[in-house]
Amino acid sequence: MKIAAVVLALALAAPAAAQERDYCPARPGLGTPACTIAPGRVSVETSIADWERDEGADQRSDTSLFGDTVVRVGLADTIEGIAGWTPVGIARERDKMTGTTDRSTAVGDAYLGLKANLAHPDGSGFSFAVQPFATLPVGRSPIGAGDWGAGLLAPLSYDLAGGVNVQLTPEVDAAVDEDGSGRHLAYSAVAGVEVPFTKTLSATGEVQALRDQDPSGRSTQTFAALSLAWMANDDFQVDAGCVAGLNHSAPGARLYAGLSRRF
């Protein structure tokens, strides 16, 4: 009877023990972490503000997103469900020749995805995952894309000495055409290095190359990014970051800040 009681206690304790892992928000940064949320846990990750400027020869565009939120739910030890939505977006375009300005406010599209980790769901050692997703055209132009899209990410990461973590996120998309009707091939890769300053503060440097084969004109964009993340406690993170376009096809600058909370 005593042996049976011990076995039963261990069996009941096993799921709880399996769920104990460090919090790994998907933000900040351009890449995607390979880790997944533990089963039964929920992560709410929100951008307080996200501003981007694109400077052209004839016009300047500014896009600001507020409350852009992603919810990640642990469904199994290695699988999480993902849902996201942008409730408010403001687009502002200024014609440099005439000085006229157009301003639009709209909601963005919805995001649905599923991440399956294939090695080390806590993100330790060598971690690898696949993440198929779809975007649903619930938003309005110019914040919403105008049609559905889909894609696949395959994030991976590897721990080095001293807590340094190297990351790679390749992605392939059926991206929505610029005119808001139909889809085309787009693909990208993000490479990054995360360096811890303290137990709670870390910085991540990244580079990204993106190839977009839109029918209206093919383009290649390159970016460099730097982000900071501070873990206020085991379940709460504050972050901020900046992105710089490295070639003429890429938007010139982006600044953002956000919060992540695990429940």
Side-chain angles (χ1 to χ4, degrees), residues 43-44 65 172 174 194 218:
S43 175
V44 179
L65 305 179
V172 60
E194 180 183 4
R218 301 184 178 188

Side-chain angles (χ1 to χ4, degrees), residues 86-191:
T86 304
V88 180
I90 300 173
R92 180 177 178 271
E93 293 189 358
R94 181 179 181 274
D95 190 300
K96 294 183 176 180
M97 300 297 293
T98 65
T100 59
T101 300
D102 293 327
R103 185 177 183 272
S104 302
T105 301
V107 300
D109 294 333
Y111 179 103
L112 295 176
L114 190 73
K115 185 193 293 186
N117 184 280
L118 306 177
H120 297 111
D122 62 353
S124 63
F126 172 75
S127 187
F128 174 65
V130 292
Q131 181 177 320
F133 69 88
T135 56
L136 308 180
V138 300
R140 294 187 295 110
S141 178
I143 304 303
D147 204 344
W148 66 268
L152 177 70
L153 297 89
L156 58 91
S157 62
Y158 185 73
D159 285 331
L160 300 177
V164 176
N165 183 266
V166 294
Q167 307 157 2
L168 180 66
T169 307
E171 178 177 352
V172 60
D173 298 336
V176 179
D177 292 349
E178 186 176 350
D179 64 6
S181 178
R183 282 150 296 281
H184 63 274
L185 176 65
Y187 49 92
S188 67
V190 179

Side-chain angles (χ1 to χ4, degrees), residues 42-55:
V42 177
S43 175
V44 179
E45 306 174 21
T46 300
S47 174
I48 299 172
D50 191 324
W51 168 83
E52 182 177 84
R53 169 166 292 181
D54 190 3
E55 194 89 28

Side-chain angles (χ1 to χ4, degrees), residues 193-210:
V193 179
E194 180 183 4
V195 179
F197 292 143
T198 67
K199 289 184 178 180
T200 59
L201 180 65
S202 63
T204 301
E206 298 170 296
V207 291
Q208 180 184 28
L210 185 154

Side-chain angles (χ1 to χ4, degrees), residues 202-229:
S202 63
T204 301
E206 298 170 296
V207 291
Q208 180 184 28
L210 185 154
R211 178 64 175 172
D212 191 299
Q213 301 189 156
D214 193 286
S216 66
R218 301 184 178 188
S219 66
T220 299
Q221 300 179 353
T222 54
F223 303 89
L226 178 65
S227 59
L228 295 173

Side-chain angles (χ1 to χ4, degrees), residues 14-21 34-41 73-80 115-123:
Q19 293 182 15
E20 291 299 328
R21 66 181 65 157
C35 56
T36 53
I37 295 295
R41 304 301 296 270
V73 181
L75 303 177
D77 191 50
T78 60
I79 299 175
E80 70 178 31
K115 185 193 293 186
N117 184 280
L118 306 177
H120 297 111
D122 62 353

